[in-house]
Amino acid sequence: MMDSVTSMTFIIALYIFMLAAFTGYVVISRVPSILHTPLMSGSNFIHGIVVVGALDALFNATTLTGQIIGFVGVFLGAGNVMGGYVVTDRMLAMFRPSQKQTTEKKGQQ
Amino acid sequence: MFIEYIVGLSGLIAAGLFIYGLKAMSSPVTAVSGIVTAGYGMVFVVGATFLNLFNVSPDARPHLLVNVALAVVALLLGCLWTGWRGRTVQMTAMPQMVAIFNGMGGGSAASLAAVSLLSDHATSGLHLSVTIVGALIGCISFTGSIIAWAKLDGRMRKPVRFGGQRIFNAALFLISLVLGALTVMQYGTPEGVLPGILFFGAALLFGVCMTLPIGGADMPVVISLYNAFTGLAVGLEGYVMGNPALMIAGMVVGSAGTLLTALMAKAMNRSLTNVLFSNFGDTASSAKGPEGEMKSADPSDAATSMRYASSVIIVPGYGLAVAQAQQKLYEFVKMLVADGVDVKFAIHPVAGRMPGHMNVLLAEAGVPYDMIYDMDDINDSFATTDVALIIGANDVVNPEALTDKSSPIYGMPILNAYKSRQVFVIKRGSGTGYSGVQNPLFFQKNCTMVFGDAQAVLSKMVEAVKALGTA
């Protein structure tokens, strides 16, 4: 049986999930399709935060099995973070307006 | 107590920076600052997590040194390997790279669930159930992404299909669920260990089996779906770990990824269920081809008529990227622009191997993004355009999608290149496109084929325009 604190935590978790889901929906719905690939890769980077959970799990590991799985988890999570960041950054750095427009804008300022 | 506050607040700040970063990525002007902002958030929260070392459970204290050493080594290995791969990978290979990085995230979420189950501090059945559901989704994303990578990388060319596959997959999924339920019910007893191990095995196997029958053309949608899956798994494991930053970041990606998946499926005129369960691409090749003959022309003739046209719209497809001809194309375009021709690029939502992939490939070659137009913005302009130049694209300009109800691609929105006064198609040979459907556009009166490798053809075109001199 759940006590009242556990059930309250669970309800708060549902609130967080709901608000986060709306946030993701609203943020993405305004992205132009030319940025969809960097965006998929950018959001891929963001769920790399799982490495934080994996680190915590590894810090608290008490058995050899736990240490091995924790090690794999941190390795995979770190890979997700670094890989996601590098490819997103590389792709986004390539988007630039034409020279003509850039100079015009500079002239206006 | 003090440490918990610092770690908790760092997670809050990171989550805020992630959302701000995602928002900034919604415009090409601020996009680079967006990913950098999100990057700072990540460095910050990972750094702060090390403060938890002062807060580990009493049981884990004797193992602390080993655990920290393992963590540092794993972090370094993971970062170095993917950092190097990410820096060196070709832009054309980007979709499979995103797939593999995404799969790693899913695998990490599943490992996290496994360690949390092992550590024996889980309390309620609810808590355990969330752990198991997150693990299931993470496992599917992990092995599914690996199969997606293998398919996109050309290591697995044919979809694997067999009779009764759907029933087999459904059974496997049910078995995973039952094993998961057994794990929850018998948790903490010696009898609970075996179902736990079998559960992970079945979930990993299901990810493989679910992805095997899906054709290569549908992989972008599948990767996007697995991206959302990983987000969801991370969010659920965040609840298990009592870490709101994981819950928020995971769920934001989960919902954003779901929306992105729906947008992609819509651009291909397929429903998600259709992508996942329809075995598309099997029978398409049996469709009868249109009658008639293709005209073909010399690259220099085609180049000359573009040089004297007043407007040209270029429709690039994946064939352009395969030939690595984007640079050459932009060189040709710059010459046309210098001679006063109005040149635009028209991008179909599924050009390349992922939505937006073609934009990245053109950007890499230096094409400014204000020359590049989306389908909806440019489709009305074709009728008033002198020349449409199609390079390595096929299905996305196939008018059969508009007219022929029996066509497998019927209903897919296309670029109306067939409406231009003159159409040039640069193509390797007279074969069919990814869907295996023949394209009646190529037999149209106003259409001329220029056969050859895109790189070679464009080089000849550049030479031809050079020979004409400037106006």
Side-chain angles (χ1 to χ4, degrees):
Chain A
M1 280 302 287
M2 276 189 278
D3 57 56
S4 61
V5 178
T6 316
S7 55
M8 192 59 213
T9 327
F10 182 66
I11 298 295
I12 292 174
L14 290 181
Y15 273 78
I16 294 179
F17 281 147
M18 180 191 72
L19 292 172
F22 273 107
T23 307
Y25 186 89
V26 170
V27 167
I28 295 303
S29 59
R30 296 193 198 153
V31 174
S33 65
I34 66 158
L35 286 171
H36 275 174
T37 292
L39 183 84
M40 198 208 283
S41 148
S43 59
N44 179 28
F45 161 72
I46 285 171
H47 66 51
I49 195 180
V50 66
V51 71
V52 165
L55 276 172
D56 268 334
L58 178 55
F59 289 161
N60 288 296
T62 49
T63 58
L64 181 64
T65 326
Q67 284 173 327
I68 293 171
I69 302 175
F71 179 84
V72 172
V74 173
F75 169 75
L76 292 174
N80 183 180
V81 168
M82 193 48 132
Y85 184 85
V86 168
V87 297
T88 311
D89 189 50
R90 261 184 75 193
M91 283 193 271
L92 287 175
M94 289 168 189
F95 287 95
R96 59 184 86 84
S98 59
Q99 292 300 313
K100 202 177 61 192
Q101 280 219 343
T102 339
T103 44
E104 269 171 17
K105 271 175 200 159
K106 272 178 194 160
Q108 280 165 10
Q109 288 162 1
Chain B
M1 207 54 199
F2 184 57
I3 288 168
E4 277 168 24
Y5 274 109
I6 295 182
V7 176
L9 285 175
S10 74
L12 178 73
I13 293 169
L17 290 175
F18 289 161
I19 294 170
Y20 179 83
L22 261 190
K23 176 86 185 69
M25 278 188 233
S26 64
S27 154
V29 184
T30 53
V32 176
S33 75
I35 182 68
V36 173
T37 309
Y40 280 127
M42 192 68 81
V43 171
F44 191 57
V45 73
V46 171
T49 304
F50 274 84
L51 288 177
N52 278 342
L53 285 176
F54 300 105
N55 236 348
V56 294
S57 64
D59 300 344
R61 229 160 265 161
H63 305 278
L64 199 57
L65 261 181
V66 181
N67 288 351
V68 173
L70 284 174
V72 171
V73 172
L75 272 180
L76 282 179
L77 280 180
C79 287
L80 286 177
W81 183 68
T82 57
W84 167 69
R85 287 295 295 137
R87 250 193 220 290
T88 49
V89 66
Q90 293 279 330
M91 278 294 155
T92 40
M94 209 46 101
Q96 51 267 47
M97 216 65 238
V98 174
I100 207 82
F101 295 153
N102 175 55
M104 291 178 88
S108 184
S111 321
L112 166 52
V115 178
S116 149
L117 287 172
L118 278 170
S119 68
D120 210 33
H121 60 58
T123 45
S124 62
L126 179 74
H127 203 88
L128 284 169
S129 309
V130 175
T131 314
I132 289 291
V133 173
L136 175 65
I137 301 172
C139 284
I140 295 173
S141 175
F142 179 51
T143 50
S145 295
I146 292 174
I147 300 295
W149 164 79
K151 285 184 181 239
L152 283 168
D153 212 42
R155 281 159 210 264
M156 195 182 278
R157 295 204 176 276
K158 287 268 168 208
V160 178
R161 288 161 189 168
F162 53 84
Q165 192 166 21
R166 256 177 267 181
I167 296 164
F168 176 80
N169 284 356
L172 190 57
F173 183 66
L174 276 179
I175 290 171
S176 311
L177 285 183
V178 169
L179 286 168
L182 280 176
T183 313
V184 172
M185 285 188 289
Q186 301 182 323
Y187 185 72
T189 65
E191 290 80 39
V193 177
L194 186 65
I197 295 170
L198 289 177
F199 160 75
F200 277 95
L204 290 169
L205 185 63
F206 177 69
V208 173
C209 292
M210 179 179 159
T211 323
L212 278 177
I214 303 172
D218 286 334
M219 273 308 130
V221 182
V222 175
I223 295 175
S224 178
L225 181 72
Y226 288 156
N227 189 36
F229 272 20
T230 305
L232 200 60
V234 171
L236 292 175
E237 297 310 330
Y239 170 73
V240 173
M241 302 293 289
N243 189 332
L246 261 73
M247 293 165 68
I248 293 174
M251 197 50 71
V252 164
V253 174
S255 85
T258 308
L259 176 63
L260 202 57
T261 311
L263 287 176
M264 284 188 200
K266 202 177 140 206
M268 298 166 81
N269 193 40
R270 314 275 307 281
S271 71
L272 194 56
T273 36
N274 192 254
V275 167
L276 293 178
F277 305 115
S278 78
N279 294 358
F280 179 74
D282 255 5
T283 51
S285 51
S286 66
K288 63 178 192 311
E291 304 291 307
E293 232 174 278
M294 296 184 194
K295 286 195 299 282
S296 73
D298 202 58
S300 55
D301 292 346
T304 309
S305 60
M306 277 183 269
R307 159 70 182 77
Y308 291 105
S310 66
S311 51
V312 173
I313 297 180
I314 296 173
V315 180
Y318 192 65
L320 174 75
V322 170
Q324 295 284 331
Q326 305 95 296
Q327 305 275 355
K328 213 64 195 165
L329 173 65
Y330 187 46
E331 191 185 335
F332 178 60
V333 167
K334 275 191 283 192
M335 296 175 78
L336 292 181
V337 170
D339 289 336
V341 184
D342 175 29
V343 185
K344 288 172 183 159
F345 289 85
I347 310 280
H348 190 272
V350 294
R353 283 288 175 272
M354 287 202 286
H357 189 203
M358 190 50 66
N359 304 78
V360 173
L361 295 172
L362 289 177
E364 188 190 21
V367 179
Y369 59 73
D370 40 32
M371 281 179 89
I372 301 174
Y373 291 81
D374 283 347
M375 182 171 70
D376 293 337
D377 295 331
I378 204 163
N379 244 352
D380 295 333
S381 315
F382 278 107
T384 54
T385 297
D386 290 338
V387 179
L389 174 63
I390 299 165
I391 308 172
N394 192 340
D395 295 332
V396 298
V397 291
N398 192 339
E400 215 174 62
L402 303 175
T403 52
D404 184 358
K405 282 195 177 161
S406 68
S407 170
I409 59 169
Y410 176 73
M412 182 175 87
I414 62 154
L415 285 161
N416 295 330
Y418 70 96
K419 283 187 179 164
S420 334
R421 281 177 210 121
Q422 169 70 50
V423 181
F424 287 114
V425 181
I426 301 180
K427 216 170 163 301
R428 272 183 164 281
S430 48
T432 58
Y434 218 94
S435 68
V437 184
Q438 186 54 274
N439 192 340
L441 167 69
F442 301 159
F443 301 91
Q444 245 174 239
K445 250 186 271 169
N446 62 343
C447 179
T448 307
M449 310 295 291
V450 183
F451 289 118
D453 174 70
Q455 173 89 27
V457 168
L458 284 163
S459 299
K460 281 183 197 152
M461 288 186 164
V462 168
E463 291 305 314
V465 176
K466 257 186 203 157
L468 290 171
T470 43

